[in-house]
């Protein structure tokens, strides 16, 4: 099972990197989300995927009786999911506003600060 999850992590991260290198803003946004999901799966896999009981100590005992699940990777992944979703929502609105104002999805055509035929800067001062 660990090999399957490792291959899936590699696939998610490779797909996310490929989409991040695209010139389309929407593909970049989807690539960022897939990359984040790959990192979340990596943290989950690093926390040892086992079929253990929940980390709850029964009443009357000082420690759990048997092996328990590690709650730290689960808490980290939950936090990362919330942060990733909020970043996705912000970047989606930002991409939508950029598309509305510039009427372009391609990053090469979004060159308001650098016009194509602008004079070159001086070579020395």
């Amino acid at each position: 099972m660990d090999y399957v999850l490792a291959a899936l992590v590699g696939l998610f991260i490779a797909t996310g990197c490929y989409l991040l290198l695209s010139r389309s803003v929407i593909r970049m946004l989807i690539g960022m989300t897939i990359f984040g999901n790959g990192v979340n799966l990596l943290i989950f896999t690093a926390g040892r995927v086992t079929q253990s009981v929940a980390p709850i100590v029964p009443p009357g005992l000082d420690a759990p009786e048997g092996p328990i699940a590690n709650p730290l990777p689960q808490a980290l992944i939950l936090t990362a999911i919330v942060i990733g979703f909020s970043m996705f929502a912000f970047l989606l609105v930002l991409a939508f506003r950029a598309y509305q104002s510039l009427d372009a999805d391609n990053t090469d055509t979004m060159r308001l600060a650098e016009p194509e035929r602008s004079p070159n800067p001086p070579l020395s001062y």
Side-chain angles (χ1 to χ4, degrees):
M1 186 66 174
D2 288 337
Y3 296 115
V4 174
L5 288 176
L8 195 59
V9 166
L11 180 71
F12 277 10
I13 290 179
T15 305
C17 286
Y18 175 75
L19 289 174
L20 276 172
L21 294 174
S22 175
R23 292 183 182 175
S24 173
V25 176
I26 297 299
R27 286 184 184 171
M28 288 178 178
L29 180 62
I30 293 171
M32 190 99 139
T33 305
I34 292 175
F35 188 84
N37 288 337
V39 171
N40 289 345
L41 190 60
L42 177 68
I43 294 170
F44 183 69
T45 306
R48 287 176 274 136
V49 180
T50 59
Q51 292 183 354
S52 300
V53 296
I56 300 173
V57 178
L61 295 177
D62 292 336
E65 295 174 346
I68 60 170
N70 190 0
L72 183 63
Q74 296 173 7
L76 289 174
I77 291 169
L78 183 61
T79 305
I81 288 171
V82 171
I83 292 171
F85 180 73
S86 63
M87 185 176 64
F88 173 75
F90 172 72
L91 290 177
L92 185 65
V93 170
L94 188 67
F96 181 69
R97 289 291 298 150
Y99 181 75
Q100 277 185 337
S101 63
L102 300 174
D103 197 30
D105 183 29
N106 193 346
T107 55
D108 285 341
T109 57
M110 295 180 171
R111 297 179 58 120
L112 288 178
E114 302 173 5
E116 291 184 23
R117 301 183 198 271
S118 64
N120 291 333
L123 297 176
S124 64
Y125 290 98

